[in-house]
């Protein structure tokens, strides 16, 4: 089963979000990042059969979020079709000054996931060691490292946790050598497909608006790297997604 385990299905990103959803012959997990997009996630999963959601405050919004946003997430975390907490994590790329606040916000949301037995969808940019350290403090939580971009060596360290790696458009880029090595060496049992739509379009659409149906291109690329069939990639990564997120596909 084709599953796009990470996308942002936001109305403002597309001429017709309906059409984009229809174009995808599989399941999508859309991720919230702040108060507004979390609400969008909640509305969308009620309207669209094939869409599931995760709720969270992205590190980019560490300065803007309010206490009631966290309370709101806790109120809805057990809603039907909410399958995790995300997209949360650490991003030191643009803002190093908020490091400590980001760490606190990240860990606090992991604690919520722990309390309600939900999967955590992790964003980590230029912050992999701090990300690792915080995750290691909560070794029983299931994690997805969304858009994994660190080394194979680091990936192997993460394997002591119940973690899966989200593989996206970067694997199709010419300069995606490091990620190709990760995909080649890690067993398919640890990998998930994702697009991060509307961002990170795979080749040959790099730079254009991305959409979940392009997850098929990621599957092809992984198949090519591992020397197996695309069908096998779709089948196994689909099972991985169902297990890691407790996806109830009958909903
Ligand atoms: Ni994302």
């Amino acid at each position: 089963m084709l599953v796009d385990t990470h996308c942002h299905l936001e109305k403002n990103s597309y001429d017709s979000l309906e059409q984009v959803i229809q174009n995808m012959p599989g399941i999508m997990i859309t991720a919230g990042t702040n108060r507004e997009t979390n609400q969008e996630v909640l509305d969308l999963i009620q309207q669209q059969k094939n869409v599931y959601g995760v709720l969270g405050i992205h590190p980019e919004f560490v300065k803007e979020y309010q206490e009631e946003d966290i309370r709101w997430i806790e109120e809805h975390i057990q809603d039907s079709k909410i399958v995790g907490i995300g997209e949360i994590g650490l991003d030191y790329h643009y803002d190093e000054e908020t490091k400590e606040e980001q760490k606190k916000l990240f860990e606090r949301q992991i604690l919520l996931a722990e309390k309600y037995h939900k999967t955590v969808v992790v964003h980590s940019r230029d912050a992999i060691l701090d990300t690792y350290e915080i995750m290691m403090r909560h070794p029983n939580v299931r994690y997805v490292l969304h858009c994994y971009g660190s080394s194979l060596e680091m990936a192997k360290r993460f394997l002591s946790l119940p973690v899966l790696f989200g593989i996206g458009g970067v694997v199709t880029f010419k300069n995606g050598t490091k990620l190709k090595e990760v995909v080649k060496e890690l067993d398919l049992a640890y990998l998930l497909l994702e697009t991060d739509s509307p961002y990170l379009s795979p080749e040959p659409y790099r730079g254009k608006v991305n959409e979940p149906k392009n997850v098929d291109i990621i599957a092809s690329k992984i198949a090519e790297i591992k020397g197996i069939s695309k069908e096998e990639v779709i089948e196994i990564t689909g099972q991985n997604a169902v297990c890691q997120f407790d996806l109830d596909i009958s909903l």
Side-chain angles (χ1 to χ4, degrees):
M1 184 178 42
L2 199 55
V3 184
D4 181 357
T5 58
H6 189 100
C7 52
H8 302 274
L9 297 174
E10 296 163 14
K11 279 201 190 80
N12 289 341
S13 304
Y14 299 104
D15 293 335
S16 169
L17 183 56
E18 289 270 320
Q19 189 59 53
V20 164
I21 291 168
Q22 272 175 33
N23 291 344
M24 165 63 173
I27 284 176
M28 293 147 267
I29 300 177
T30 186
T33 54
N34 62 13
R35 180 188 295 195
E36 288 75 30
T37 55
N38 282 326
Q39 183 64 56
E40 258 195 87
V41 166
L42 210 59
D43 294 341
L44 196 66
I45 60 175
Q46 284 160 12
Q47 295 154 12
Q48 299 286 348
K49 188 173 187 317
N50 295 344
V51 181
Y52 293 71
V54 294
L55 303 173
I57 307 290
H58 189 284
E60 191 188 331
F61 298 99
V62 71
K63 282 206 179 298
E64 287 144 59
Y65 87 97
Q66 292 174 348
E67 270 311 301
E68 61 176 276
D69 299 336
I70 302 283
R71 270 202 306 276
W72 186 92
I73 290 170
E74 184 162 12
E75 263 167 44
H76 291 286
I77 194 170
Q78 290 182 298
D79 283 18
S80 165
K81 296 177 83 185
I82 291 297
V83 295
I85 292 280
E87 165 177 357
I88 68 172
L90 304 175
D91 194 324
Y92 300 163
H93 189 72
Y94 296 110
D95 196 353
E96 292 226 9
E97 281 163 30
T98 56
K99 268 187 180 180
E100 291 312 310
E101 288 151 279
Q102 288 190 36
K103 284 191 210 171
K104 273 193 201 119
L105 176 62
F106 181 35
E107 188 156 27
R108 204 171 155 198
Q109 294 181 95
I110 291 176
L111 286 170
L112 266 188
E114 199 161 31
K115 182 172 169 189
Y116 294 99
H117 306 288
K118 293 287 178 180
T119 303
V120 172
V121 176
V122 180
H123 169 103
S124 180
R125 193 170 186 200
D126 295 346
I128 200 71
L129 288 175
D130 283 357
T131 306
Y132 176 75
E133 191 189 301
I134 292 173
M135 287 166 63
M136 283 299 281
R137 291 188 212 145
H138 307 279
N140 298 317
V141 175
R142 284 174 295 176
Y143 296 97
V144 171
L145 285 167
H146 137 66
C147 196
Y148 184 72
S150 294
S151 65
L152 174 62
E153 187 198 356
M154 198 65 222
K156 286 181 177 164
R157 286 177 70 184
F158 275 108
L159 290 181
S160 63
L161 293 165
V163 67
L164 296 187
F165 301 83
I167 308 298
V170 176
V171 78
T172 68
F173 297 172
K174 270 213 178 76
N175 57 3
T177 329
K178 201 167 59 171
L179 184 58
K180 286 182 188 123
E181 194 193 3
V182 170
V183 167
K184 187 160 192 252
E185 297 300 324
L186 286 189
D187 195 285
L188 196 54
Y190 296 112
L191 307 185
L192 294 171
L193 306 179
E194 65 162 69
T195 62
D196 204 18
S197 296
Y199 316 106
L200 278 174
S201 274
E203 292 290 3
Y205 304 113
R206 197 170 176 182
K208 303 224 168 73
V209 177
N210 200 3
E211 58 173 292
K213 73 167 183 193
N214 291 337
V215 79
D216 190 70
I217 299 174
I218 313 296
S220 295
K221 192 69 198 182
I222 293 177
E224 184 195 313
I225 293 169
K226 294 186 99 54
I228 55 178
S229 72
K230 182 170 90 173
E231 288 66 33
E232 186 178 353
V233 172
I234 290 174
E235 159 98 21
I236 304 295
T237 56
Q239 286 171 12
N240 297 345
V242 167
C243 287
Q244 195 75 347
F245 287 100
D246 282 335
L247 281 184
D248 181 352
I249 49 176
S250 66
L251 290 174

